[in-house]
Amino acid sequence: MRGATHARWAAGAAAVALAATACGGGSDSGGGATGIVSSSWGDPQNPLEPANTNEVQGGKVLDMVFRGLKRYNAKTGAAEDMIAEKIDTSDSVNFTVTIKDGWTFSNGEKVTAKSFVDAWNYGANLKNNQKNAYFFGQIEGYEQVHPEKGQPTAATLSGLKVVNDKSFTVKLNQKFSTWPDTLGYSAFSPLPQAFFTSHDSWLAKPVGNGPYTVDSYTKGSKMSLRKWDGYPGPDKAQNGGVDLNVYTDNNTAYTDLTAGNLDLVDDVPAAQLKNVKADLDGRYINTPAGIIQTLAFPYYTKAWNTPNGAKVRKGISMAINRQQITDTIFQKTRTPAKDWTSPVLGVDGGYKDTLCGEACTYNPTEAKKLITEGGGFPGGQLKISYNADTGSHKEWVDAVCNSINNALGNDKACVGNPVGTFADFRNQIGEHKMPGPFRAGWQMDYPLIQNFLQPLYYTNASSNDGLWSNPDFDKLVNEANAESDTQKAVETFQQAEDVVRDQVAAIPLWYQNGSAGYSDRVSNVALNPFSVPVYNEIKVK
């Protein structure tokens, strides 16, 4: 899709700051569908516009406030119809979307075909500067509303047409057989007219069509969401609402959880993993998720974009003892990466545990040889950038550097380069100011192999933060998207992934499990395949 894309950058842990606001739902008691769940959270990087939110914290809110044409099954990740009654195509280029009756926004406005078409046109238009604009890049007319250079020559996508209140048509600019399966991503959410007519007011208090409404939000403190009693969907909230409390240190969030002041922490600190089972008496979740952690590189700097750079990057990869780091620091909540996707895809979905091969195999002798042959580290030292506002990144970055330093026999060859907050970190990445490799966490938007490759490595893709570019990779991605046979499409995507491997476009580190702990005040707590709590199913005792 991301030939349309943008994905969710996993913040790692956004954890707690204000203990005073973290107090759980004791005062909001009531049980069952009336009690309030209190959960740890981090301020979103951007305003909560569906087409402008591409990181996990904002995504959590959108998942509660909006429903789209499709929704991903909370257990399997499969794309299932939500507002869509049907999506028909005979050629994988032209699609007719029919929506169900009875859907409204929480302000009473009816959800119609126009609600989707207007939202998508807004998201795609260059003038609106939406981070997820690339998600609409598969629709005909995108180059006119979002040109690579200059101003738009059209205000709307020529490939979108409203037929009537219940139906609209979509024409893509190339075959994309699995395009309907991408439509559960929040960028494709419908928007009410208030978004366009009273934009500032909408941003202050977003109005959607999901099971929750935004009651209040104080940046740096808390967002309160409350159950929408008029929600027409089948997945109604089983609680009275969710208070998302902002934390800047997930260790503090964990302390509040164990003290009974918080109901849910969805990123247990690495330092607490040894104790979590005993601390929470079994109220701990550790499940596979569609998340991979990598080291990305700034190809926009000459120092990291050299003919021999692939040798250096492969050497760095082979110098990392992934098994030791995941065992000792992450207590088996991470698994050493063997490709650039995720095991949750399964073999049929494109996961291949032999694809990375020797590049992901710890071999310090060969690592030193490759780094030396490739000319060594630019400037003589490897500096790995990471956001320092969580309790775990420093630990694993230090461990990675220690592994690299041991391989090279030089205790100063690799060092960590902390950046204050996740927002600052992402801003520096977006402004292309990274001096060297930087941590990159990718959480899938939808469970397709395409989502792990095209958004991150396709030329000029919105989440291709290092600006890597390879024409062979792009060509194979285009061929895979045009393939109507799913198995052949997956195989072609794997060929594209071979190019990523051969050039070591990024270094895969480990697959990340979803990790969460919860209080004895709540039940029916689960994480979906995206590692996000299924908030609407949580029950308050």
Side-chain angles (χ1 to χ4, degrees), residues 74 197 202:
T197 59
W202 190 96

Side-chain angles (χ1 to χ4, degrees), residues 162-184:
V162 174
V163 177
N164 52 47
D165 277 359
K166 283 192 60 179
S167 179
F168 66 99
T169 59
V170 184
K171 183 177 182 180
L172 304 184
N173 50 33
Q174 65 180 51
K175 287 185 177 181
F176 191 1
S177 59
T178 55
W179 178 75
D181 288 345
T182 71
L183 300 179

Side-chain angles (χ1 to χ4, degrees), residues 21 23-25 28 33-41 60-61 64-65 211-217 222-228 237-245 262-264 266 521-522 533-540:
T21 66
C23 288
D28 292 305
T34 59
I36 306 301
V37 179
S38 61
S39 180
S40 61
W41 188 53
K60 292 175 184 176
V61 178
M64 288 190 274
V65 175
Y212 295 93
T213 60
V214 176
D215 184 64
S216 64
Y217 175 39
K222 180 170 68 174
M223 175 176 282
S224 292
L225 299 109
R226 293 297 178 261
K227 177 184 179 181
W228 175 28
Q238 301 301 304
N239 50 67
V242 180
D243 283 346
L244 297 173
N245 298 285
L262 195 65
D263 291 324
L264 175 63
D266 64 346
R521 190 177 160 271
V522 296
V534 187
Y535 290 105
N536 63 290
E537 294 184 0
I538 298 175
K539 296 180 179 180
V540 180

